[in-house]
DNA sequence: ATGATTCTTTGATCTGTATCAAGGCAAAAA
DNA sequence: TTTTTGCCTTGATACAGATCAAAGAATCAT
């Protein structure tokens, strides 16, 4: 076992949960000071430029991490180049699979990304000894699974218009910092081509659907990467989802 | 807490792991006799006829279970009736989400199904106290997640022919009881319509692709629900996946 | 058995999205 | 500033798979 001993740093103020980036997804909401200090001791930050590949499929996983800033994508590619994104990592999302040595997809930064990384072996020994963290990681895995299944419905059955509406609605919900958030300027972060790969479309279709939604007054673009939702009700109608929600993403 | 005490049944032979259906996915491979006996005490069998809905979306989960015989599907349905299957449960697969009160999809028996059910609250207290079971459930969740992501690539980017080939290849792999297994008669278990809902196609397209693969000598149908793989190499070529595999399902 | 029902196959046609192609715009480089 | 470069938009056309339609098997009920 190589989990760190409690460090002797009395002059340093106790580490606050707010300083523990993994808390972004509440992993350590229930951590005590000792556990937080252990996390702190194995923590380091890594940054990646837009376009950098963070992890290649099959590469050994040396760390687990949470996204502090930026956006990264999980994607699978076929021999002939067809690509499908299988996940989107926004700030507070977690990278890593408890007990897995490697991942089955590429992780790529779409804009500059900062990760808060934890040494994997040390993180895993902490997890082994801390059931509430293990439990939280299980919740994260099940959330991802629910999101993946919602996306399967989108990929298999939704029209291009519904796909785009769903995507925009998800971005609006996930990036709204306000309580209402309906008129925030939202950053797309991705190119039309990347969005197409996420939605199982081509970049031309993405562009056309954006134009159509703009023409219909549902959204408005300030520039190519920034838009506002002008009619949230219409947007939700277009997604094809039940009004009541229950969708995770 | 309401986990059962160890039962006093000395006249009964020790419960073998082979009698514990959940072991189908090796959940209790590392269980000791006490744990097995606890599992045994909370176990019951339920059967469902073909077409029965086992669980409705949103319904409270009263048990977790593993499939003993039969095939069940996980599916999501849109308001207008469009349906997408998001998972397929074959014998040995597990139903249930540690820590979740309900599920986000319907579970339906496509043929007669027997489940081995465990009372959920009692199962969860056992899990809480048995880290190696918790760890195994995490592995199962991550396996499902990998499978879901492979299916996203299929739904988003594969052609109808590739989808059908992938589906057949998966069935061949999962239902081969022999070591080689390439010429076993494989049971389809599902109607063309259900297959279509699994692959994001229509039933007519499924039928046409089956006919085409038969005409090309890749597979052969003995009747509508039973086929053999005549040319496994050709089948794998048609899936669009890397030759090396790495696919989970 | 026999008729009813449900599933499957196959054909004809339609359509949503992909593909091909050509400019347009904005940020970066010269 | 001008040029280059990388995205993006829009139009024209093609095509894979959906939809519509009808006839054939298989299964079920009586």
């Amino acid at each position: 076992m190589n989990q760190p001993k409690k460090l002797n740093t009395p002059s340093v103020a106790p580490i606050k949960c707010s300083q523990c980036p993994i808390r972004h997804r509440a992993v350590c909401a229930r951590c005590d000071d000792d556990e937080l200090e252990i996390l702190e001791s194995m923590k380091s930050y890594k940054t990646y430029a837009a376009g950098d590949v963070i992890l290649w499929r099959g590469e050994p996983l040396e760390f687990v991490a949470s996204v502090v800033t930026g956006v990264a994508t999980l994607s699978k590619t076929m021999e002939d180049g067809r690509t499908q994104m299988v996940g989107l990592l926004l700030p507070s999302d977690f990278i890593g699979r408890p007990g897995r040595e490697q991942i089955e997809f590429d992780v790529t930064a779409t804009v500059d990304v900062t990760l808060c990384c934890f040494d994997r072996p040390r993180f895993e020994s902490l997890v082994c000894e801390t059931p509430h963290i293990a439990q939280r990681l299980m919740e994260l895995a099940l959330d991802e699974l629910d999101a993946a299944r919602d996306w399967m419905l989108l990929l298999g059955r939704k029209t291009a218009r519904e796909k785009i509406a769903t995507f925009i609605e998800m971005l609006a919900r996930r990036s709204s910092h306000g309580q209402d958030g309906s008129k925030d300027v939202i950053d797309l972060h991705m190119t039309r081509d990347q969005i197409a790969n996420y939605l199982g479309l081509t970049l031309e279709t993405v562009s056309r659907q954006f134009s159509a939604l703009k023409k219909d007054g549902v959204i408005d673009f300030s520039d190519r990467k920034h838009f506002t939702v002008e009619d949230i009700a219409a947007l939700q109608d277009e997604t094809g989802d039940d009004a009541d929600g229950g969708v995770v993403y």
Side-chain angles (χ1 to χ4, degrees), chain A:
Chain A
M1 289 299 192
N2 56 356
Q3 86 278 13
K5 299 281 188 298
K6 185 179 174 182
L7 297 174
N8 198 23
T9 52
S11 64
V12 175
I15 292 143
K16 303 241 174 44
C17 217
S18 62
Q19 294 174 260
C20 169
I22 208 172
R23 178 182 173 276
H24 286 299
R25 286 291 286 268
V27 167
C28 67
R30 292 161 54 200
C31 285
D32 60 28
D33 285 353
D34 281 12
E35 288 159 359
L36 289 179
E37 205 155 340
I38 292 170
L39 281 168
E40 189 73 11
S41 75
M42 66 175 84
K43 182 173 95 175
S44 64
Y45 291 95
K46 287 199 207 314
T47 60
Y48 299 84
D52 283 1
V53 174
I54 298 172
L55 292 165
W56 289 105
R57 171 182 169 182
E59 192 181 8
L61 262 180
E62 270 151 25
F63 54 83
V64 299
S66 79
V67 177
V68 180
T69 62
V71 177
T73 61
L74 316 182
S75 60
K76 299 178 84 89
T77 302
M78 296 171 69
E79 296 134 287
D80 62 3
R82 279 176 284 172
T83 295
Q84 177 63 53
M85 284 185 197
V86 296
L88 192 61
L89 295 172
L90 300 180
S92 87
D93 283 339
F94 185 75
I95 304 175
R97 349 226 23 219
R100 293 282 173 102
E101 297 293 324
Q102 55 176 52
I103 50 176
E104 287 303 321
F105 40 76
D106 303 324
V107 182
T108 311
T110 62
V111 295
D112 293 355
V113 165
T114 308
L115 298 184
C116 174
C117 301
F118 300 93
D119 178 66
R120 195 169 69 82
R122 291 171 69 194
F123 185 79
E124 296 202 341
S125 11
L126 178 64
V127 171
C128 285
E129 293 165 8
T130 319
H132 69 83
I133 294 185
Q135 196 181 330
R136 182 66 190 130
L137 291 177
M138 172 64 94
E139 280 174 46
L140 291 180
L142 291 177
D143 285 347
E144 281 189 87
L145 191 52
D146 283 340
R149 285 173 166 158
D150 281 326
W151 217 249
M152 286 168 70
L153 176 63
L154 176 144
L155 292 171
R157 290 298 182 212
K158 288 192 178 180
T159 65
R161 175 124 174 167
E162 288 169 336
K163 287 176 175 181
I164 293 287
T166 305
F167 175 69
I168 290 176
E169 208 266 338
M170 175 197 72
L171 278 190
R173 186 154 21 76
R174 288 214 49 177
S175 59
S176 74
H177 19 84
Q179 23 300 335
D180 166 59
S182 55
K183 277 289 183 83
D184 289 337
V185 171
I186 295 162
D187 194 329
L188 219 42
H189 290 302
M190 303 157 82
T191 65
R192 301 291 184 267
D193 189 48
Q194 290 169 328
I195 295 166
N197 284 334
Y198 195 28
L199 299 174
L201 298 169
T202 59
L203 68 94
E204 294 94 334
T205 298
V206 170
S207 179
R208 279 184 243 272
Q209 295 298 335
F210 276 153
S211 301
L213 284 173
K214 179 178 177 178
K215 184 166 72 62
D216 296 348
V218 180
I219 56 174
D220 195 37
F221 279 87
S222 45
D223 65 61
R224 295 200 260 191
K225 288 275 175 68
H226 298 269
F227 67 93
T228 53
V229 176
E230 298 297 313
D231 186 345
I232 185 83
L235 181 64
Q236 278 161 347
D237 276 356
E238 300 276 6
T239 63
D241 292 325
D242 294 20
D244 61 12
V247 190
V248 183
Y249 302 121

